[in-house]
Amino acid sequence: MPGTGKGCPPGPSCPRWPCRTGRRCDDIAADAGRREGAAVWGESRVLRVSPYGEVDRVVHLPCRQPSSVAIGGEDGTRLLVTSARYGLADPAPADGALWTCDVGVSAPPARAAVLTRYPE
């Protein structure tokens, strides 16, 4: 369940994991400069955090619960942010939407993965 910390092990993508700012981050993604983009559940924003734990950029969003972040898009410099309506008694149209903006930085290239099925 997003933002609740229920049903996930502690780790970078778990809401119980305090990102380097001490806030509860619902998801993180790294850019090519080794900075983390962190969706802060319940705070209507994404933080960019340096490798030293300093917030060096804030992207304010019209949604209340940003949930996941990625960097992509056609030129690879767009911040993509999902948001959630989960747990909101009166969700607004902005809640539960996908938000994008150009951030002028790219992410490291994706690596191919081969998934195999374990024998039963």
Side-chain angles (χ1 to χ4, degrees):
M1 295 180 191
T4 63
K6 296 177 182 173
C8 63
S13 62
C14 178
R16 290 181 287 182
W17 181 73
C19 61
R20 295 178 187 194
T21 64
R23 294 174 176 88
R24 298 294 178 194
C25 300
D26 202 41
D27 189 31
I28 61 170
D31 68 18
R34 294 185 44 228
R35 293 179 181 89
E36 296 171 352
V40 185
W41 183 266
E43 292 189 18
S44 303
R45 58 191 173 160
V46 172
L47 307 177
R48 186 173 73 175
V49 183
S50 77
Y52 305 103
E54 300 161 343
V55 175
D56 63 7
R57 186 169 181 184
V58 178
V59 176
H60 296 277
L61 299 166
C63 61
R64 289 178 276 178
Q65 298 179 155
S67 55
S68 292
V69 294
I71 298 174
E74 194 171 307
D75 62 357
T77 62
R78 293 201 65 79
L79 177 66
L80 311 166
V81 183
T82 59
S83 64
R85 293 175 163 240
Y86 178 82
L88 297 175
D90 59 340
D95 298 314
L98 173 66
W99 299 95
T100 70
C101 67
D102 187 69
V103 290
V105 296
S106 60
R111 295 186 177 157
V114 177
L115 304 175
T116 59
R117 184 179 175 134
Y118 289 104
E120 294 183 24

